[in-house]
Amino acid sequence: MKILSPLPSFKIDYPRNTAIPLVVSSPHSGRYYPPDFLGIAALPLQELQRSEDRFMDNLMEDAPDFGATLLSAECSRAWCDVNRDWREVDSEMFKQKISDNEIISSAKVKSGFGVIPRNISQGKKIYSGTIDKSEIIKRISTSWLPYHEALTVILNEIRLLFGYAILLEMHSMPKLPYARSCDIVIGDVHGKSCRTIISDEIESILQEKSYSVRRNIPYSGGYITQHYGQPDKKVHAIQIEICRSLYLNTTTLQRGRGFEKTKNNMNHLISSFSNWILKENF
């Protein structure tokens, strides 16, 4: 099961130990910015980098040592966000007219965070004006489509081999503006994308490391979790959002003091969860 891509759209790290039915996906950690994109962007590179789930792929890089398959995006989400439906296109971003029948106008699109983002955050626009419509096909065909083709193949192969597959969607989040914030948010689309015992077990393992955990608020699961999480078809998907301040210097965007501790804790998560799923009957 070797999947090749002609462009740096994704990277697959295959199990380096006995394979287990677990896929770890990091769709927002891509750090590749095409030169032509940087040429039309109104924001400097460091500002664009703030939209990344920065170093999430590095935090999870040991997952294959425990038998998991790791899929990581290589392209920046500011260029193409693979955690969106490919039809979530903001028609107002483009010079040419786009038919409403070709696109989906979701809440994400209206906020500027479609498959080709308009913003990196509220109030920070990536472009000073409109861009060419040809960017839609180019970015979807070279980034979105290869990532999802790879993920589909991996999940299908694992489901055929084991009878089921579990997908962990790994993300990072800013510190939540709540009176009682938390370290990690688990999203299972309110129990729809995976069996509840999976969410319960992941929450329990994270709490062993003294993390404060919320479930589904404010992140219940993005497009990948919603689309691929189909428990009735033996594919379970769950999203995990880790507070960036636990491992990242949010000023310099370099690894913070807690990086190694967080990485060790993620290894504990994968190791413990791997042992658990092999004992369960899915």
Side-chain angles (χ1 to χ4, degrees):
M1 187 178 65
K2 297 295 181 183
I3 304 167
L4 302 177
S5 173
L7 292 173
S9 57
F10 64 83
K11 177 185 178 185
I12 300 176
D13 292 300
Y14 294 96
R16 295 186 286 265
N17 209 321
T18 303
I20 60 172
L22 178 63
V23 180
V24 178
S25 167
S26 179
H28 285 165
S29 57
R31 293 184 283 278
Y32 176 69
Y33 293 80
D36 60 341
F37 167 64
L38 294 176
I40 62 174
L43 296 173
L45 177 59
Q46 188 174 32
E47 280 299 306
L48 295 170
Q49 289 172 328
R50 293 189 181 280
S51 68
E52 300 171 11
D53 285 349
R54 197 155 172 82
F55 304 131
M56 182 54 63
D57 53 337
N58 298 139
L59 284 176
M60 305 308 297
E61 65 185 0
D62 294 335
D65 290 335
F66 304 100
T69 301
L70 174 62
L71 174 66
S72 308
E74 294 280 81
C75 294
S76 162
R77 70 180 294 192
W79 188 69
C80 182
D81 191 338
V82 300
N83 195 30
R84 299 288 182 267
D85 189 300
W86 66 273
R87 298 165 296 176
E88 288 186 274
V89 173
D90 184 348
S91 61
E92 296 182 2
M93 289 179 60
F94 302 95
K95 296 174 184 177
Q96 298 86 0
K97 181 176 176 57
I98 300 174
S99 170
D100 290 341
N101 295 328
E102 301 176 49
I103 60 177
I104 295 175
S105 183
S106 65
K108 289 288 186 183
V109 171
K110 293 176 182 177
S111 298
F113 305 112
V115 66
I116 299 178
R118 184 176 68 242
N119 304 331
I120 62 163
S121 62
Q122 292 294 344
K124 288 195 175 182
K125 294 184 177 181
I126 298 174
Y127 311 98
S128 57
T130 54
I131 61 177
D132 198 271
K133 181 181 176 180
S134 62
E135 292 293 320
I136 300 173
I137 294 176
K138 179 171 71 175
R139 300 187 194 190
I140 289 174
S141 63
T142 59
S143 182
W144 192 97
L145 188 58
Y147 194 88
H148 285 274
E149 286 180 336
L151 183 54
T152 298
V153 169
I154 292 168
L155 288 172
N156 285 342
E157 289 279 353
I158 288 176
R159 183 175 56 178
L160 287 172
L161 184 61
F162 293 94
Y164 69 97
I166 297 177
L167 173 63
L168 290 188
E169 266 287 287
M170 300 302 301
H171 295 262
S172 67
M173 64 181 184
K175 188 175 178 62
L176 297 176
Y178 298 153
R180 295 181 64 186
S181 191
C182 70
D183 299 316
I184 294 175
V185 175
I186 293 173
D188 60 9
V189 196
H190 302 281
K192 296 178 182 178
S193 65
C194 69
R195 290 181 61 188
T196 303
I197 59 170
I198 294 175
S199 303
D200 292 343
E201 181 63 20
I202 288 177
E203 182 171 357
S204 176
I205 294 170
L206 291 170
Q207 289 175 336
E208 288 174 8
K209 292 298 181 180
S210 300
Y211 286 124
S212 54
V213 182
R214 285 180 184 266
R215 198 177 295 192
N216 292 309
I217 300 175
Y219 307 110
S220 63
Y223 171 76
I224 292 177
T225 304
Q226 295 175 32
H227 180 74
Y228 291 96
Q230 300 182 53
D232 58 325
K233 296 182 179 178
K234 299 294 185 179
V235 177
H236 305 269
I238 187 166
Q239 179 177 284
I240 298 177
E241 296 267 1
I242 304 173
C243 186
R244 292 175 191 145
S245 61
L246 292 172
Y247 72 91
L248 183 72
N249 183 319
T250 55
T251 300
T252 66
L253 299 184
Q254 298 305 308
R255 298 181 183 190
R257 295 178 183 176
F259 183 87
E260 289 302 325
K261 178 181 178 181
T262 304
K263 184 177 180 180
N264 289 336
N265 288 344
M266 291 305 103
N267 285 345
H268 172 75
L269 169 64
I270 299 300
S271 175
S272 298
F273 187 58
S274 299
N275 291 333
W276 178 79
I277 61 178
L278 292 177
K279 299 174 185 176
E280 292 295 317
N281 182 17
F282 288 96

